[in-house]
PDB file of all heavy atoms in Angstrom:
ATOM      1  N   LEU A  17      -6.484 -11.100   1.808  1.00  0.00           N
ATOM      2  CA  LEU A  17      -6.974  -9.986   1.113  1.00  0.00           C
ATOM      3  C   LEU A  17      -7.084  -8.753   1.869  1.00  0.00           C
ATOM      4  O   LEU A  17      -7.646  -8.745   2.939  1.00  0.00           O
ATOM      5  CB  LEU A  17      -8.460 -10.496   0.586  1.00  0.00           C
ATOM      6  CG  LEU A  17      -8.574 -11.761  -0.179  1.00  0.00           C
ATOM      7  CD1 LEU A  17      -9.984 -12.114  -0.468  1.00  0.00           C
ATOM      8  CD2 LEU A  17      -7.960 -11.681  -1.534  1.00  0.00           C
ATOM      9  N   TRP A  28     -14.557  -7.593  -0.442  1.00  0.00           N
ATOM     10  CA  TRP A  28     -13.894  -8.938  -0.931  1.00  0.00           C
ATOM     11  C   TRP A  28     -14.883 -10.052  -0.877  1.00  0.00           C
ATOM     12  O   TRP A  28     -14.579 -11.195  -1.095  1.00  0.00           O
ATOM     13  CB  TRP A  28     -12.760  -9.271  -0.085  1.00  0.00           C
ATOM     14  CG  TRP A  28     -11.584  -8.463  -0.147  1.00  0.00           C
ATOM     15  CD1 TRP A  28     -10.951  -7.731   0.646  1.00  0.00           C
ATOM     16  CD2 TRP A  28     -10.633  -8.280  -1.361  1.00  0.00           C
ATOM     17  NE1 TRP A  28      -9.767  -7.067   0.256  1.00  0.00           N
ATOM     18  CE2 TRP A  28      -9.618  -7.473  -1.055  1.00  0.00           C
ATOM     19  CE3 TRP A  28     -10.760  -8.904  -2.592  1.00  0.00           C
ATOM     20  CZ2 TRP A  28      -8.589  -7.071  -1.987  1.00  0.00           C
ATOM     21  CZ3 TRP A  28      -9.758  -8.552  -3.595  1.00  0.00           C
ATOM     22  CH2 TRP A  28      -8.727  -7.515  -3.195  1.00  0.00           C
ATOM     23  N   TRP A  31     -14.760 -12.627  -3.634  1.00  0.00           N
ATOM     24  CA  TRP A  31     -13.421 -13.331  -3.683  1.00  0.00           C
ATOM     25  C   TRP A  31     -13.252 -14.259  -2.592  1.00  0.00           C
ATOM     26  O   TRP A  31     -12.556 -15.358  -2.716  1.00  0.00           O
ATOM     27  CB  TRP A  31     -12.369 -12.321  -3.711  1.00  0.00           C
ATOM     28  CG  TRP A  31     -12.273 -11.414  -4.898  1.00  0.00           C
ATOM     29  CD1 TRP A  31     -13.283 -10.782  -5.479  1.00  0.00           C
ATOM     30  CD2 TRP A  31     -11.096 -11.162  -5.664  1.00  0.00           C
ATOM     31  NE1 TRP A  31     -12.857 -10.072  -6.585  1.00  0.00           N
ATOM     32  CE2 TRP A  31     -11.491 -10.309  -6.832  1.00  0.00           C
ATOM     33  CE3 TRP A  31      -9.869 -11.490  -5.724  1.00  0.00           C
ATOM     34  CZ2 TRP A  31     -10.689  -9.836  -7.845  1.00  0.00           C
ATOM     35  CZ3 TRP A  31      -8.953 -11.177  -6.751  1.00  0.00           C
ATOM     36  CH2 TRP A  31      -9.249 -10.317  -7.611  1.00  0.00           C
ATOM     37  N   ILE A  90      -2.827 -10.317  -1.369  1.00  0.00           N
ATOM     38  CA  ILE A  90      -3.536  -9.533  -2.488  1.00  0.00           C
ATOM     39  C   ILE A  90      -4.174  -8.360  -1.918  1.00  0.00           C
ATOM     40  O   ILE A  90      -4.982  -8.364  -0.992  1.00  0.00           O
ATOM     41  CB  ILE A  90      -4.633 -10.472  -3.153  1.00  0.00           C
ATOM     42  CG1 ILE A  90      -3.978 -11.869  -3.775  1.00  0.00           C
ATOM     43  CG2 ILE A  90      -5.355  -9.735  -4.254  1.00  0.00           C
ATOM     44  CD1 ILE A  90      -4.978 -12.669  -4.368  1.00  0.00           C
ATOM     45  N   GLY A  91      -3.699  -7.180  -2.498  1.00  0.00           N
ATOM     46  CA  GLY A  91      -4.356  -5.960  -1.895  1.00  0.00           C
ATOM     47  C   GLY A  91      -5.008  -5.096  -3.006  1.00  0.00           C
ATOM     48  O   GLY A  91      -4.485  -5.104  -4.149  1.00  0.00           O
ATOM     49  N   HIS A  92      -5.932  -4.401  -2.729  1.00  0.00           N
ATOM     50  CA  HIS A  92      -6.643  -3.595  -3.669  1.00  0.00           C
ATOM     51  C   HIS A  92      -6.445  -2.070  -3.213  1.00  0.00           C
ATOM     52  O   HIS A  92      -6.761  -1.748  -2.120  1.00  0.00           O
ATOM     53  CB  HIS A  92      -8.134  -3.812  -3.758  1.00  0.00           C
ATOM     54  CG  HIS A  92      -8.962  -2.972  -4.555  1.00  0.00           C
ATOM     55  ND1 HIS A  92     -10.015  -2.093  -4.031  1.00  0.00           N
ATOM     56  CD2 HIS A  92      -9.002  -2.672  -5.900  1.00  0.00           C
ATOM     57  CE1 HIS A  92     -10.484  -1.392  -5.032  1.00  0.00           C
ATOM     58  NE2 HIS A  92      -9.865  -1.695  -6.178  1.00  0.00           N
ATOM     59  N   SER A  93      -6.186  -1.187  -4.285  1.00  0.00           N
ATOM     60  CA  SER A  93      -6.120   0.179  -3.948  1.00  0.00           C
ATOM     61  C   SER A  93      -5.002   0.520  -2.866  1.00  0.00           C
ATOM     62  O   SER A  93      -3.783   0.095  -3.021  1.00  0.00           O
ATOM     63  CB  SER A  93      -7.439   0.733  -3.612  1.00  0.00           C
ATOM     64  OG  SER A  93      -7.509   2.216  -3.709  1.00  0.00           O
ATOM     65  N   ALA A  94      -5.347   1.112  -1.819  1.00  0.00           N
ATOM     66  CA  ALA A  94      -4.418   1.242  -0.680  1.00  0.00           C
ATOM     67  C   ALA A  94      -3.870  -0.088  -0.199  1.00  0.00           C
ATOM     68  O   ALA A  94      -2.780  -0.224   0.283  1.00  0.00           O
ATOM     69  CB  ALA A  94      -5.115   2.062   0.467  1.00  0.00           C
ATOM     70  N   GLY A  95      -4.687  -0.967  -0.244  1.00  0.00           N
ATOM     71  CA  GLY A  95      -4.219  -2.377   0.065  1.00  0.00           C
ATOM     72  C   GLY A  95      -3.054  -2.945  -0.743  1.00  0.00           C
ATOM     73  O   GLY A  95      -2.194  -3.636  -0.238  1.00  0.00           O
ATOM     74  N   GLY A  96      -2.983  -2.418  -2.013  1.00  0.00           N
ATOM     75  CA  GLY A  96      -1.799  -2.638  -2.761  1.00  0.00           C
ATOM     76  C   GLY A  96      -0.541  -1.983  -2.225  1.00  0.00           C
ATOM     77  O   GLY A  96       0.568  -2.629  -2.388  1.00  0.00           O
ATOM     78  N   VAL A  99       0.469  -4.280   0.721  1.00  0.00           N
ATOM     79  CA  VAL A  99       1.083  -5.453   0.057  1.00  0.00           C
ATOM     80  C   VAL A  99       2.565  -5.193  -0.126  1.00  0.00           C
ATOM     81  O   VAL A  99       3.546  -6.047   0.174  1.00  0.00           O
ATOM     82  CB  VAL A  99       0.437  -6.069  -1.246  1.00  0.00           C
ATOM     83  CG1 VAL A  99       1.309  -7.009  -1.971  1.00  0.00           C
ATOM     84  CG2 VAL A  99      -0.928  -6.694  -0.801  1.00  0.00           C
ATOM     85  N   VAL A 112       0.256  -9.606  -4.879  1.00  0.00           N
ATOM     86  CA  VAL A 112      -0.375  -8.886  -5.949  1.00  0.00           C
ATOM     87  C   VAL A 112      -1.022  -7.548  -5.528  1.00  0.00           C
ATOM     88  O   VAL A 112      -1.729  -7.474  -4.442  1.00  0.00           O
ATOM     89  CB  VAL A 112      -1.647  -9.817  -6.454  1.00  0.00           C
ATOM     90  CG1 VAL A 112      -2.405  -9.245  -7.609  1.00  0.00           C
ATOM     91  CG2 VAL A 112      -1.102 -11.175  -6.919  1.00  0.00           C
ATOM     92  N   ALA A 113      -0.886  -6.624  -6.332  1.00  0.00           N
ATOM     93  CA  ALA A 113      -1.473  -5.221  -6.095  1.00  0.00           C
ATOM     94  C   ALA A 113      -2.451  -4.931  -7.051  1.00  0.00           C
ATOM     95  O   ALA A 113      -1.970  -4.583  -8.345  1.00  0.00           O
ATOM     96  CB  ALA A 113      -0.251  -4.220  -5.851  1.00  0.00           C
ATOM     97  N   LEU A 114      -3.663  -4.707  -6.739  1.00  0.00           N
ATOM     98  CA  LEU A 114      -4.768  -4.519  -7.734  1.00  0.00           C
ATOM     99  C   LEU A 114      -5.095  -3.056  -7.757  1.00  0.00           C
ATOM    100  O   LEU A 114      -5.362  -2.412  -6.584  1.00  0.00           O
ATOM    101  CB  LEU A 114      -5.897  -5.347  -7.380  1.00  0.00           C
ATOM    102  CG  LEU A 114      -5.847  -6.886  -7.332  1.00  0.00           C
ATOM    103  CD1 LEU A 114      -7.217  -7.414  -6.742  1.00  0.00           C
ATOM    104  CD2 LEU A 114      -5.584  -7.448  -8.705  1.00  0.00           C
ATOM    105  N   CYS A 115      -5.044  -2.393  -8.849  1.00  0.00           N
ATOM    106  CA  CYS A 115      -5.355  -0.942  -8.877  1.00  0.00           C
ATOM    107  C   CYS A 115      -4.651  -0.252  -7.677  1.00  0.00           C
ATOM    108  O   CYS A 115      -5.336   0.651  -7.018  1.00  0.00           O
ATOM    109  CB  CYS A 115      -6.890  -0.743  -8.833  1.00  0.00           C
ATOM    110  SG  CYS A 115      -7.838  -1.683 -10.053  1.00  0.00           S
ATOM    111  N   SER A 116      -3.414  -0.505  -7.573  1.00  0.00           N
ATOM    112  CA  SER A 116      -2.695  -0.011  -6.337  1.00  0.00           C
ATOM    113  C   SER A 116      -2.584   1.564  -6.340  1.00  0.00           C
ATOM    114  O   SER A 116      -2.146   2.197  -7.307  1.00  0.00           O
ATOM    115  CB  SER A 116      -1.435  -0.719  -6.339  1.00  0.00           C
ATOM    116  OG  SER A 116      -0.632  -0.431  -5.070  1.00  0.00           O
ATOM    117  N   ALA A 117      -2.766   2.083  -5.108  1.00  0.00           N
ATOM    118  CA  ALA A 117      -2.153   3.402  -4.776  1.00  0.00           C
ATOM    119  C   ALA A 117      -0.650   3.398  -4.930  1.00  0.00           C
ATOM    120  O   ALA A 117      -0.068   2.213  -4.753  1.00  0.00           O
ATOM    121  CB  ALA A 117      -2.703   3.850  -3.447  1.00  0.00           C
ATOM    122  N   LEU A 211       3.212  -8.746  -8.456  1.00  0.00           N
ATOM    123  CA  LEU A 211       2.444  -8.493  -9.652  1.00  0.00           C
ATOM    124  C   LEU A 211       1.562  -7.257  -9.484  1.00  0.00           C
ATOM    125  O   LEU A 211       0.651  -7.218  -8.521  1.00  0.00           O
ATOM    126  CB  LEU A 211       1.456  -9.722 -10.077  1.00  0.00           C
ATOM    127  CG  LEU A 211       0.601  -9.522 -11.287  1.00  0.00           C
ATOM    128  CD1 LEU A 211       1.438  -9.327 -12.594  1.00  0.00           C
ATOM    129  CD2 LEU A 211      -0.414 -10.792 -11.300  1.00  0.00           C
ATOM    130  N   PHE A 212       1.699  -6.302 -10.368  1.00  0.00           N
ATOM    131  CA  PHE A 212       0.726  -5.168 -10.379  1.00  0.00           C
ATOM    132  C   PHE A 212      -0.479  -5.447 -11.466  1.00  0.00           C
ATOM    133  O   PHE A 212       0.004  -5.889 -12.536  1.00  0.00           O
ATOM    134  CB  PHE A 212       1.472  -3.916 -10.788  1.00  0.00           C
ATOM    135  CG  PHE A 212       2.299  -3.299  -9.755  1.00  0.00           C
ATOM    136  CD1 PHE A 212       3.650  -3.642  -9.749  1.00  0.00           C
ATOM    137  CD2 PHE A 212       1.815  -2.410  -8.778  1.00  0.00           C
ATOM    138  CE1 PHE A 212       4.483  -3.045  -8.841  1.00  0.00           C
ATOM    139  CE2 PHE A 212       2.646  -1.827  -7.911  1.00  0.00           C
ATOM    140  CZ  PHE A 212       4.052  -2.050  -7.846  1.00  0.00           C
ATOM    141  N   VAL A 213      -1.614  -5.285 -11.113  1.00  0.00           N
ATOM    142  CA  VAL A 213      -2.743  -5.381 -12.006  1.00  0.00           C
ATOM    143  C   VAL A 213      -3.462  -3.998 -12.138  1.00  0.00           C
ATOM    144  O   VAL A 213      -3.921  -3.591 -11.035  1.00  0.00           O
ATOM    145  CB  VAL A 213      -3.711  -6.543 -11.655  1.00  0.00           C
ATOM    146  CG1 VAL A 213      -4.883  -6.578 -12.557  1.00  0.00           C
ATOM    147  CG2 VAL A 213      -2.899  -7.853 -11.630  1.00  0.00           C
ATOM    148  N   SER A 214      -3.522  -3.535 -13.339  1.00  0.00           N
ATOM    149  CA  SER A 214      -4.170  -2.273 -13.569  1.00  0.00           C
ATOM    150  C   SER A 214      -5.563  -2.505 -14.117  1.00  0.00           C
ATOM    151  O   SER A 214      -5.719  -3.428 -14.821  1.00  0.00           O
ATOM    152  CB  SER A 214      -3.470  -1.322 -14.420  1.00  0.00           C
ATOM    153  OG  SER A 214      -2.085  -1.071 -13.910  1.00  0.00           O
ATOM    154  N   ALA A 215      -6.474  -1.584 -13.897  1.00  0.00           N
ATOM    155  CA  ALA A 215      -7.749  -1.614 -14.533  1.00  0.00           C
ATOM    156  C   ALA A 215      -7.886  -0.495 -15.518  1.00  0.00           C
ATOM    157  O   ALA A 215      -7.665   0.742 -15.320  1.00  0.00           O
ATOM    158  CB  ALA A 215      -8.912  -1.337 -13.518  1.00  0.00           C
ATOM    159  N   ASP A 218      -9.930   2.729 -14.779  1.00  0.00           N
ATOM    160  CA  ASP A 218      -9.781   3.215 -13.449  1.00  0.00           C
ATOM    161  C   ASP A 218      -9.511   4.713 -13.416  1.00  0.00           C
ATOM    162  O   ASP A 218      -8.592   5.109 -14.055  1.00  0.00           O
ATOM    163  CB  ASP A 218      -8.634   2.455 -12.661  1.00  0.00           C
ATOM    164  CG  ASP A 218      -8.612   2.636 -11.266  1.00  0.00           C
ATOM    165  OD1 ASP A 218      -9.158   3.675 -10.725  1.00  0.00           O
ATOM    166  OD2 ASP A 218      -7.866   1.863 -10.576  1.00  0.00           O
ATOM    167  N   MET A 221      -7.061   5.276  -9.456  1.00  0.00           N
ATOM    168  CA  MET A 221      -5.680   4.894  -9.655  1.00  0.00           C
ATOM    169  C   MET A 221      -5.465   4.378 -11.054  1.00  0.00           C
ATOM    170  O   MET A 221      -5.342   3.216 -11.173  1.00  0.00           O
ATOM    171  CB  MET A 221      -5.478   3.688  -8.587  1.00  0.00           C
ATOM    172  CG  MET A 221      -5.486   4.221  -7.109  1.00  0.00           C
ATOM    173  SD  MET A 221      -4.279   5.523  -6.722  1.00  0.00           S
ATOM    174  CE  MET A 221      -5.020   6.068  -5.132  1.00  0.00           C
ATOM    175  N   GLN A 226       0.274   2.606 -11.630  1.00  0.00           N
ATOM    176  CA  GLN A 226       0.895   1.222 -11.418  1.00  0.00           C
ATOM    177  C   GLN A 226       2.170   1.085 -12.376  1.00  0.00           C
ATOM    178  O   GLN A 226       3.171   0.502 -11.935  1.00  0.00           O
ATOM    179  CB  GLN A 226      -0.031   0.118 -11.695  1.00  0.00           C
ATOM    180  CG  GLN A 226      -1.202  -0.004 -10.670  1.00  0.00           C
ATOM    181  CD  GLN A 226      -2.333   0.908 -10.935  1.00  0.00           C
ATOM    182  OE1 GLN A 226      -2.895   0.840 -11.895  1.00  0.00           O
ATOM    183  NE2 GLN A 226      -2.725   1.695  -9.996  1.00  0.00           N
ATOM    184  N   HIS A 249     -12.178   1.150 -10.990  1.00  0.00           N
ATOM    185  CA  HIS A 249     -11.394   0.886  -9.743  1.00  0.00           C
ATOM    186  C   HIS A 249     -11.974  -0.255  -8.877  1.00  0.00           C
ATOM    187  O   HIS A 249     -11.135  -0.903  -8.255  1.00  0.00           O
ATOM    188  CB  HIS A 249     -11.381   2.230  -8.964  1.00  0.00           C
ATOM    189  CG  HIS A 249     -10.375   2.262  -7.892  1.00  0.00           C
ATOM    190  ND1 HIS A 249      -9.056   2.053  -7.967  1.00  0.00           N
ATOM    191  CD2 HIS A 249     -10.672   2.277  -6.530  1.00  0.00           C
ATOM    192  CE1 HIS A 249      -8.513   1.978  -6.751  1.00  0.00           C
ATOM    193  NE2 HIS A 249      -9.421   2.125  -5.910  1.00  0.00           N
ATOM    194  N   LEU A 251     -12.550  -3.034  -9.094  1.00  0.00           N
ATOM    195  CA  LEU A 251     -12.380  -4.336  -9.896  1.00  0.00           C
ATOM    196  C   LEU A 251     -12.861  -5.524  -9.049  1.00  0.00           C
ATOM    197  O   LEU A 251     -13.388  -6.460  -9.697  1.00  0.00           O
ATOM    198  CB  LEU A 251     -10.844  -4.393 -10.189  1.00  0.00           C
ATOM    199  CG  LEU A 251     -10.302  -5.626 -10.946  1.00  0.00           C
ATOM    200  CD1 LEU A 251      -8.974  -5.179 -11.760  1.00  0.00           C
ATOM    201  CD2 LEU A 251     -10.107  -6.833 -10.089  1.00  0.00           C
ATOM    202  N   PRO A 252     -12.737  -5.653  -7.754  1.00  0.00           N
ATOM    203  CA  PRO A 252     -13.244  -6.881  -7.114  1.00  0.00           C
ATOM    204  C   PRO A 252     -14.766  -7.172  -7.261  1.00  0.00           C
ATOM    205  O   PRO A 252     -15.115  -8.259  -6.981  1.00  0.00           O
ATOM    206  CB  PRO A 252     -12.797  -6.646  -5.580  1.00  0.00           C
ATOM    207  CG  PRO A 252     -11.608  -5.770  -5.716  1.00  0.00           C
ATOM    208  CD  PRO A 252     -12.010  -4.840  -6.919  1.00  0.00           C
ATOM    209  N   VAL A 260     -10.096 -12.512 -13.243  1.00  0.00           N
ATOM    210  CA  VAL A 260      -9.034 -11.744 -12.606  1.00  0.00           C
ATOM    211  C   VAL A 260      -8.594 -12.474 -11.409  1.00  0.00           C
ATOM    212  O   VAL A 260      -7.411 -12.737 -11.191  1.00  0.00           O
ATOM    213  CB  VAL A 260      -9.345 -10.416 -12.352  1.00  0.00           C
ATOM    214  CG1 VAL A 260      -8.206  -9.564 -11.657  1.00  0.00           C
ATOM    215  CG2 VAL A 260      -9.783  -9.522 -13.606  1.00  0.00           C
ATOM    216  N   VAL A 264      -4.692 -13.926 -11.001  1.00  0.00           N
ATOM    217  CA  VAL A 264      -3.693 -13.541 -10.070  1.00  0.00           C
ATOM    218  C   VAL A 264      -3.376 -14.547  -8.967  1.00  0.00           C
ATOM    219  O   VAL A 264      -2.114 -14.652  -8.710  1.00  0.00           O
ATOM    220  CB  VAL A 264      -4.177 -12.185  -9.343  1.00  0.00           C
ATOM    221  CG1 VAL A 264      -4.432 -11.105 -10.366  1.00  0.00           C
ATOM    222  CG2 VAL A 264      -5.381 -12.374  -8.445  1.00  0.00           C
TER     223      VAL A 264
END
Side-chain angles (χ1 to χ4, degrees):
L17 299 171
W28 290 116
W31 291 52
I90 301 177
H92 173 248
S93 195
V99 165
V112 178
L114 303 171
C115 305
S116 183
L211 173 66
F212 287 93
V213 176
S214 301
D218 191 342
M221 297 297 167
Q226 290 85 54
H249 187 66
L251 182 153
V260 178
V264 301

